[in-house]
Amino acid sequence: MTILNNKFLANSDFYTGAFPSEYGNGIAGVFDLKMRNGNNEKHELSGQLGFLGTELMAEGPLSKKSGASYLATYRYSTLGLFSFLGINVGTNAIPQYQDGSFRLNFPQKNGGSFTIWGIGGLSDVDIVLSDQEKPDSATLIYGSNDRDQYFGTNMGIVAASYTHPININTFIKASVAASRTIADTHHDYIFRHVEGQSPDDFYVVDALPPILDYKYDETKYSAYFHFNKRIKPGHVLKLGVNADWFQMNYIDSVRVVNPGVSPTLDPWRVRWDASQGAALVQPFVQYKMSAGQNLDITAGITSLYWSLNNNSFSPIEPRFGLSYKISDGKRLSFGTGLHSQIQSPYLYFYGSTTINRDPQELNMDMGLTKSAHAVLSYDQTFRNIRIKAETYYQYLYNIPVKEGSSSYSLVNTGAGFSRLFPEKLINEGTGRNFGVELTVEKFFTHGYYFLVTGSLFDAKYRGSDGVLRNTTFNGRYAVNGLIAKEFTFKNGSALQIGAKVTSVGGRWYGPVDLDESNQQLEVIYVDSQVNTIQFRPYFRADGKISYRINRPKITHEFSVDLVNVFNVKNILTLTFAPQLNPPIVEENQLGFLPIFFYKIDF
């Protein structure tokens, strides 16, 4: 569940490839989220009850004279209803969450506006195996098989922005924000009774000693300013700066389990113990011009400075794009640019795990990851159908890889749920991605719409061993299809029926090193053969049926989402289960899952 409630969002921009210079600290894409203002003419209320959560939303005018408005949402998890009704959601660990958001907008007499907004939420999930009688009596998806895990996160952000028009051709915008994210975890190791080696004895819990505790706490203060000037018709100058101050606090301690018939625990070792601040500054300038009636050109330069070390400064990153109107409804576009990105902040502070010593940070001198993009696209719209074809090439360099000969590369992160424990990393890895994409979209007319997208691509990388390999995500193809039809009736009600199909090539992995996995109690792959084996392709079909009853002052909606209607067993990952032989288990993603909700709008 994303904390971004779609009821809170306005039309937003999603950029892939060579995005404009006003966006920095990203090498793949940018999602520029825009939040809508509340209704400034009348008050509205909305409530929704479903298996995923209970939602409330209110919006309306603060002052009809000035046009000021408010918008507020709140959502609380009701996933526990699945367990109560005996519905299998694929795991015994049911997450709990709640979140809320608000936005206050105050239009100004000079045509500007002042806005205050915020988003906050918290969540936790407990993966408890010690109360299970047999290993096959619990679905162990997402968790390790030898411990109880307690995981929680919370975040919050509050911000204010001000837009001020200086004259008809010029305006400025400034924003400030403060945000905080916290993630904390506690693990207890499951010591089981083994006397007599009886299967019934083995699953009796003897003790639950703690073996892991960590807390990651990041606070960020942000400021944004830009100046927008129309120099003459068709010529616009935009310049500004993004600035962030990070306050990072990380603490992590672990006890290593020595496997065997009677496992033992080592003393506590500190892996993270850091409290430090750093600044991220990104100035930019951008110029957009219309060269005649059919050609638009955008050129810009940005820069990135990360104060944590001396290796994280990218002085000049040029961006360039052009768009040529071939004829009515037909357009050809090209973009290129150089991009850079800092690493996940906690990776810089990972230390040695020598017993009874303070951790010695290994990666404080990591530099920026960089990429160069080139994108060519063709876009055509006729009647109510849009077709877009795109081809792209991306070259990645300065990717952190392990010192010494290894297949490891930070480019593969994000394929699982585990944190990284990087050894000494150096910015000497490379990678490249290229492919073609096609999108066919019919807008909502005559009671229906559809969207079909297809992508063919290839993604490779080189670690410090210099071998060209598949990235973990190199599925090579992805296809999505979405269609929905609405039937309206004379009494004002409407029936909607929709379907979605997704097929994606499988992720890559490699042969498991059983000896090393038994030593470390987790899945360890043979380093020289990483990403030489591909999981089976991912396939999922969803359906949706909803019925809406419209009344003069109230609307009711009943809806059922049928997730994975064919109950396809899509693989998630491999996990280590020490009580099984062999100890490597293939875990699947969620199967068929019906989701019901009822919504009422006033």
Side-chain angles (χ1 to χ4, degrees):
M1 291 292 296
T2 172
I3 199 172
L4 294 171
N5 193 326
N6 59 2
K7 299 177 180 62
F8 190 61
L9 298 178
N11 290 333
S12 301
D13 296 318
F14 184 65
Y15 300 92
T16 58
F19 37 87
S21 60
E22 61 185 294
Y23 304 107
N25 193 30
I27 59 173
V30 171
F31 198 4
D32 189 358
L33 297 167
K34 295 180 175 62
M35 301 172 186
R36 71 179 183 91
N37 295 323
N39 190 327
N40 62 3
E41 296 182 354
K42 64 178 181 177
H43 297 279
E44 294 183 283
L45 295 174
S46 177
Q48 179 174 309
L49 174 64
F51 281 147
L52 292 183
T54 299
E55 299 185 28
L56 297 172
M57 183 182 71
E59 61 179 304
L62 292 171
S63 169
K64 291 186 178 181
K65 181 178 180 180
S66 67
S69 64
Y70 71 90
L71 172 67
T73 68
Y74 176 74
R75 182 169 52 184
Y76 183 82
S77 167
T78 48
L79 281 166
L81 288 174
F82 284 110
S83 297
F84 178 76
L85 297 176
I87 299 175
N88 180 14
V89 299
T91 175
N92 288 333
I94 303 298
Q96 303 293 325
Y97 63 86
Q98 56 182 311
D99 58 67
S101 59
F102 75 92
R103 182 177 176 90
L104 307 175
N105 181 60
F106 304 93
Q108 305 297 297
K109 293 181 179 180
N110 58 9
S113 66
F114 177 68
T115 303
I116 302 174
W117 62 271
I119 297 176
L122 52 88
S123 64
D124 63 81
V125 60
D126 300 336
I127 306 177
V128 181
L129 308 182
S130 59
D131 58 1
Q132 304 300 323
E133 297 179 357
K134 301 287 184 181
D136 58 357
S137 67
T139 305
L140 307 178
I141 190 172
Y142 309 120
S144 298
N145 289 264
D146 60 353
R147 65 196 65 190
D148 291 343
Q149 300 179 68
Y150 304 89
F151 180 69
T153 63
N154 58 72
M155 66 82 66
I157 178 171
V158 62
S161 64
Y162 178 65
T163 302
H164 176 71
I166 298 175
N167 53 49
I168 193 171
N169 294 317
T170 308
F171 73 90
I172 59 174
K173 182 175 181 179
S175 300
V176 292
S179 63
R180 188 180 185 186
T181 60
I182 298 175
D184 60 88
T185 286
H186 174 82
H187 289 187
D188 291 332
Y189 187 77
I190 304 174
F191 274 112
R192 298 189 183 274
H193 189 65
V194 296
E195 184 177 350
Q197 299 297 318
S198 167
D200 293 332
D201 287 341
F202 183 78
Y203 300 108
V204 177
V205 176
D206 275 350
L208 295 169
I211 58 171
L212 171 68
D213 271 296
Y214 76 76
K215 182 178 182 180
Y216 289 177
D217 187 342
E218 297 179 0
T219 300
K220 183 171 70 171
Y221 303 98
S222 305
Y224 168 76
F225 172 83
H226 83 248
F227 170 87
N228 205 88
K229 171 71 173 180
R230 187 176 68 169
I231 299 175
K232 59 181 180 179
H235 291 250
V236 178
L237 172 68
K238 186 176 185 178
L239 56 88
V241 63
N242 292 283
D244 301 288
W245 174 262
F246 289 77
Q247 182 59 49
M248 300 160 285
N249 298 281
Y250 308 116
I251 184 70
D252 173 295
S253 298
V254 67
R255 299 168 76 183
V256 175
V257 180
N258 300 302
V261 176
S262 298
T264 59
L265 298 175
D266 283 348
W268 286 97
R269 301 184 181 189
V270 177
R271 295 184 294 194
W272 274 270
D273 188 5
S275 179
Q276 191 164 339
L280 178 65
V281 182
Q282 303 161 80
F284 68 90
V285 59
Q286 181 175 293
Y287 192 82
K288 183 176 181 179
M289 61 175 290
S290 297
Q293 296 182 348
N294 297 328
L295 180 64
D296 294 328
I297 299 174
T298 303
I301 296 176
T302 185
S303 179
L304 187 147
Y305 171 68
W306 175 234
S307 69
L308 191 65
N309 59 46
N310 295 324
N311 299 323
S312 298
F313 177 46
S314 180
I316 298 179
E317 296 179 10
R319 313 282 173 86
F320 176 79
L322 59 84
S323 178
Y324 179 72
K325 181 181 177 182
I326 300 173
S327 61
D328 288 343
K330 298 179 181 179
R331 186 170 291 273
L332 187 67
S333 302
F334 172 76
T336 186
L338 179 66
H339 306 259
S340 64
Q341 185 176 34
I342 68 173
Q343 314 305 330
S344 294
Y346 85 92
L347 295 179
Y348 294 94
F349 299 95
Y350 177 69
S352 65
T353 56
T354 304
I355 298 175
N356 297 326
R357 282 184 52 191
D358 292 334
Q360 304 297 311
E361 286 89 358
L362 301 176
N363 298 302
M364 288 297 292
D365 58 350
M366 271 195 305
L368 306 171
T369 294
K370 295 190 176 184
S371 71
H373 291 264
V375 182
L376 179 65
S377 64
Y378 172 78
D379 200 319
Q380 180 175 351
T381 301
F382 57 94
R383 295 182 181 176
N384 298 309
I385 294 179
R386 179 192 181 199
I387 299 175
K388 183 178 182 180
E390 183 173 277
T391 183
Y392 61 89
Y393 183 87
Q394 179 191 29
Y395 176 69
L396 299 161
Y397 60 103
N398 285 4
I399 301 171
V401 296
K402 283 186 179 180
E403 192 175 48
S405 182
S406 171
S407 65
Y408 177 86
S409 173
L410 211 60
V411 77
N412 290 317
T413 56
F417 300 94
S418 300
R419 290 179 298 153
L420 300 178
F421 306 101
E423 300 173 11
K424 177 66 176 178
L425 297 179
I426 55 177
N427 294 90
E428 295 184 3
T430 60
R432 57 112 178 104
N433 306 308
F434 62 85
V436 293
E437 297 183 352
L438 178 66
T439 300
V440 180
E441 177 181 12
K442 181 193 177 296
F443 305 114
F444 184 76
T445 57
H446 305 293
Y448 77 100
Y449 68 92
F450 66 78
L451 175 68
V452 178
T453 65
S455 178
L456 298 174
F457 59 92
D458 189 58
K460 295 287 201 308
Y461 81 99
R462 295 183 190 271
S464 55
D465 60 4
V467 177
L468 184 66
R469 292 182 172 86
N470 294 298
T471 69
T472 303
F473 309 98
N474 192 22
R476 293 182 174 160
Y477 75 90
V479 179
N480 291 277
L482 175 68
I483 187 170
K485 170 67 175 177
E486 181 176 82
F487 302 90
T488 58
F489 305 101
K490 292 183 179 179
N491 62 1
S493 60
L495 174 68
Q496 294 181 341
I497 300 175
K500 178 184 177 183
V501 176
T502 299
S503 180
V504 182
R507 291 183 301 188
W508 290 80
Y509 67 112
V512 176
D513 187 331
L514 284 177
D515 291 337
E516 191 66 22
S517 296
N518 283 317
Q519 286 292 322
Q520 299 193 30
L521 297 178
E522 60 179 313
V523 177
I524 304 297
Y525 298 101
V526 177
D527 184 77
S528 61
Q529 300 181 58
V530 165
N531 289 354
T532 57
I533 307 174
Q534 190 174 18
F535 286 132
R536 59 183 178 268
Y538 175 95
F539 177 83
R540 196 179 99 182
D542 301 337
K544 181 176 182 177
I545 302 175
S546 65
Y547 185 71
R548 187 177 68 249
I549 303 173
N550 293 319
R551 293 290 182 264
K553 294 184 178 181
I554 191 171
T555 299
H556 304 270
E557 183 177 351
F558 303 86
S559 179
V560 177
D561 288 340
L562 305 174
V563 179
N564 197 0
V565 292
F566 299 121
N567 199 30
V568 177
K569 303 298 183 182
N570 291 303
I571 190 169
L572 175 72
T573 187
L574 300 181
T575 60
F576 184 80
Q579 71 272 27
L580 302 180
N581 187 21
I584 306 301
V585 178
E586 184 179 286
E587 300 284 4
N588 292 323
Q589 299 190 34
L590 297 180
F592 173 63
L593 185 64
I595 300 174
F596 166 82
F597 76 80
Y598 164 68
K599 180 183 176 184
I600 183 170
D601 295 318
F602 299 91

